[in-house]
Structure formats: structure tokens, C-alpha cells
Amino acid sequence: MTENQNQPREYDAVKGGESQVPLSAAVLGGISGVKSRLASPIVEVKIVALSEAIKYGDAGLDLIIGALQDESMAVKLAASSLLKDRDEPNLKEELQKYLLTFEFGVITVDVEGRENSRRRHYARFFHEDLGNGVVLEMVSIPGGTFMMGSPATEKGRNDNESPQHQVTVSTFCAGKYPITQAQWQTVMGNKPSWFKGAKLPVETVSWQDAVEFCAKLSQTTGKKYRLLSEAEWEYACRAGTTTPFYLGETITFNLGNYNGNEPFHSAQSRVNRDRTTNVGSFHPNAFGLYDMHGNVCEWCSDRRHNNYSDAPSDGSSWETGTDDYRVLRGGSWGYSAGYGRSSNRYGFLGGLGSKYWGFRVACSLDLPIF
């Protein structure tokens, strides 16, 4: 029988440098090799094995389904990405069992704020039970590459948004919403906010307060929670868009909480709300994140820099320098609409708090999630 050159063979050797397997490692090929690598403690090795398992028909499919039970969220998501477009009822049931999914509507608007598209999206997430009926929802943000900063032609841009540069961000999880007052009180035991309401975003908290919250949350859950880096924040906010807002060329008063007296572009003026709104009150972006434009400015982990010269290109927090100012992103209920642009950046002393400022949290995927 003539051998099919396109069919994987049982004893194909794989060299690690070509497949993210440890350098110089030779592994058993075929379905046996896939099984062997899925038993590895190294997340990257498991993910490569899953991408090969799909070649082996029903036997490989069973291995992919089994990987949904892996302790690593990164492995779960790699398995789910291979199964998400399949229609078999049993597969959909397995996906829902191990990875929660929510569907949502995403809209875009034209330069005058008129809706010009509406589509359905879905995202994967997990719940973190904080106690007393309070839950933290963390959404999976797929890794990718984007252009950070704004082009010279963007209305309202600042010099500190230059130069535009390519950044590659690894997969991570981000809070579906900014941290709420209920979540803050459950973890920290106090109520610092100017406006009061369990579902309102916590505000009047400094960067240092936000870092302390992440430390206590990490201690409580056994996972490593942190603030988003500035690059992660912009990548997560844009969700694949290149326009000033993930909504399009502008934002309207029914799509975000900002100072309605100071609209952006050709959007109409409105009377300012003069306060925060419950998280999740407006349409999310294509990643399933809410309140990225307005409501409260969000602390990021980075030190403030005057421009992007020598900025990291791997999505990491930019910690060089001695400036005690930390980055804020996303605009606020009291700021003009332009402050909420995806690329807009500013900073304040890390020890200061304001009723305009809050934060959301991130969690890396190289740790056990469930």
C-alpha cells in the first residue's frame, strides 16, 4: 500500500524549537505522541499537541474534549477554539460544562453617532466567587498583535500617543466590568466611593489602593490578579478595531457615560449625568468587555511616559524610569467624550484617588483557573 504523505505517521520526530517543545526534545509522533504531550506539565507543549490532535479523527477529538478538563485556562481555551465551530450537540454540551460562554450584541456608529451595524458575538469567561453572593466575572481575551497609539489624522489625539508601534499581547483574562463597590467591600472591608451603590464602579481609590486590592484578591483566590498593563488595556479596549472608539468614529450619550456637554466629532450634546452608572449599562466591545469608554478612568500598572519611544512591544508593563505617576485609561463620567478614546492616555500620582477614577483587574492564563 502506498503511504499517504499527508497522513501523520506514528513515529514522526518533532524537534522542540520548531513546535514550542523544549529545545532538542524528540517526541513520539502519532496519536501516542499527542497523548504523551498532553500529559506534560508544560502548558505550551499541551497546546501544540492539541493542534495536532485534530488530525487523528475521532481519537484526536476525544483527546481535545478531555483537555477541556485541564487545570490550565490556556489549555481549556485552546481546546475550545478547536471545537467552537462544530455543531454536534454533545460537543456544545461539553463546552458549556467546562467553559462558560455568554453572547452579546456589538454595534458600531458613524461619525454622527448613527448606528450602522449590529452583530452577535460570544466570549468565554469564568466566575470567581468572592463570598456573600458577590461574584467577579473574568473574560478570556485572545492574544494577538495590534498597532498601539493613534494615527496623526485622528481627531483629538495627543502627542503622547505617538509613535504608533506594533505590540503583541499574550492571551489573558480581564474583568468583564470595572471593579464594583460590592466587590471592593467584600475583599477590602470598606466603602471609599463618593457615589454609593453596590453595582456602581468603585472610585476615589488610588493606584496603590488598586494594587493592594489585587494582592488581597490573589491571596484569597490563590490566583495572580493584577492591573492590566497599558498595552493590554488598549488592546482589550480596541477588540480588533482601529477607530477612535470600539464603537466607531464617535460615541453617543446612550452608548457611554461621559460629560454630555462635551461630545466627540459630530455627536450631539446632551446634559451631563454628573455621576457614575451601574457597570454593564452600555454595549460591550467585541471581546465582551463593558465600560471601556467612560464611567471611570481605569488605573493601569505602568509608569507614565511622555511618548512611546522605547516602549515594550510584548504587552508587558512599562516600568522604566522613576516617575511616580501611573497611567489612567478610558475616560470618565465627568470628562469630555474625547478622553475616552481607545488611544487616549494620561497619568496622575499613584498615591492619589478621585471620584473620576477606578480600575479593573487582569489574570494571566498560565495558572490553574478552575
Side-chain angles (χ1 to χ4, degrees), residues 155-354:
K155 180 180 175 62
R157 75 184 300 274
N158 301 301
D159 289 342
N160 66 358
E161 299 166 24
S162 300
Q164 270 195 301
H165 58 292
Q166 183 171 286
V167 177
T168 299
V169 176
S170 299
T171 302
F172 68 102
C173 283
K176 187 176 183 180
Y177 313 108
I179 292 297
T180 66
Q181 293 179 31
Q183 292 164 344
W184 177 277
Q185 183 180 359
T186 301
V187 174
M188 304 297 285
N190 55 39
K191 300 179 181 181
S193 300
W194 179 267
F195 304 107
K196 303 297 182 183
K199 293 183 179 180
L200 294 176
V202 69
E203 21 84 2
T204 322
V205 291
S206 68
W207 178 88
Q208 294 169 357
D209 294 331
V211 170
E212 183 181 358
F213 176 92
C214 292
K216 287 193 175 184
L217 182 61
S218 299
Q219 184 178 21
T220 301
T221 63
K223 306 179 183 73
K224 189 174 181 181
Y225 281 95
R226 55 179 175 79
L227 297 177
L228 282 72
S229 72
E230 187 180 11
E232 287 175 331
W233 193 96
E234 184 171 328
Y235 174 78
C237 178
R238 288 188 178 282
T241 63
T242 58
T243 47
F245 301 87
Y246 66 71
L247 298 155
E249 294 295 335
T250 191
I251 188 171
T252 63
F253 204 59
N254 64 331
L255 296 177
N257 186 14
Y258 57 89
N259 186 340
N261 296 313
E262 301 180 48
F264 185 81
H265 231 312
S266 302
Q268 294 182 346
S269 298
R270 296 287 294 273
V271 176
N272 192 18
R273 294 184 178 93
D274 286 327
R275 60 170 296 120
T276 55
T277 49
N278 285 347
V279 299
S281 296
F282 306 99
H283 281 275
N285 66 12
F287 285 158
L289 300 181
Y290 292 76
D291 297 290
M292 299 297 283
H293 298 312
N295 215 6
V296 288
C297 307
E298 299 181 9
W299 286 111
C300 294
S301 58
D302 312 54
R303 293 184 186 275
R304 181 190 65 174
H305 294 81
N306 292 329
N307 55 53
Y308 285 131
S309 296
D310 299 320
S313 60
D314 61 357
S316 60
S317 184
W318 195 1
E319 295 296 332
T320 60
T322 58
D323 194 333
D324 289 332
Y325 281 62
R326 295 287 173 166
V327 172
L328 284 156
R329 286 297 202 117
S332 170
W333 61 269
Y335 292 5
S336 65
Y339 268 87
R341 291 179 302 108
S342 299
S343 59
N344 193 55
R345 56 198 299 256
Y346 39 98
F348 284 91
L349 284 169
L352 296 180
S354 166

Side-chain angles (χ1 to χ4, degrees), residues 23-24 31 76-77 93 110 124 143 146 156 165 197 208 219 295 309 334-335:
L23 187 62
S24 300
I31 194 70
K76 288 177 185 285
L77 291 172
E93 183 178 337
D110 63 19
R124 304 205 183 280
F146 80 113
H165 58 292
Q208 294 169 357
Q219 184 178 21
N295 215 6
S309 296
Y335 292 5

Side-chain angles (χ1 to χ4, degrees), residues 64-209:
I64 296 170
I65 294 172
L68 291 172
Q69 304 179 52
D70 196 272
E71 66 178 9
S72 166
M73 179 59 114
V75 175
K76 288 177 185 285
L77 291 172
S80 71
S81 68
L82 294 169
L83 301 175
K84 65 181 177 64
D85 294 326
R86 302 184 70 110
D87 294 326
E88 297 95 319
N90 64 313
L91 291 183
K92 292 185 176 181
E93 183 178 337
E94 290 295 322
L95 283 170
Q96 287 294 334
K97 187 186 301 182
Y98 296 107
L99 282 168
L100 299 173
T101 302
F102 70 99
E103 293 190 23
F104 49 92
V106 175
I107 73 169
T108 59
V109 297
D110 63 19
V111 70
E112 294 183 349
R114 294 185 297 249
E115 182 178 330
N116 57 19
S117 75
R118 183 181 290 260
R119 58 198 187 280
R120 301 298 296 174
H121 277 249
Y122 75 92
R124 304 205 183 280
F125 73 107
F126 71 92
H127 282 139
E128 191 77 85
D129 186 354
L130 303 182
N132 300 321
V134 178
V135 171
L136 172 65
E137 294 177 273
M138 298 295 294
V139 179
S140 171
I141 308 300
T145 299
F146 80 113
M147 290 300 293
M148 187 173 182
S150 62
T153 55
E154 182 166 306
K155 180 180 175 62
R157 75 184 300 274
N158 301 301
D159 289 342
N160 66 358
E161 299 166 24
S162 300
Q164 270 195 301
H165 58 292
Q166 183 171 286
V167 177
T168 299
V169 176
S170 299
T171 302
F172 68 102
C173 283
K176 187 176 183 180
Y177 313 108
I179 292 297
T180 66
Q181 293 179 31
Q183 292 164 344
W184 177 277
Q185 183 180 359
T186 301
V187 174
M188 304 297 285
N190 55 39
K191 300 179 181 181
S193 300
W194 179 267
F195 304 107
K196 303 297 182 183
K199 293 183 179 180
L200 294 176
V202 69
E203 21 84 2
T204 322
V205 291
S206 68
W207 178 88
Q208 294 169 357
D209 294 331

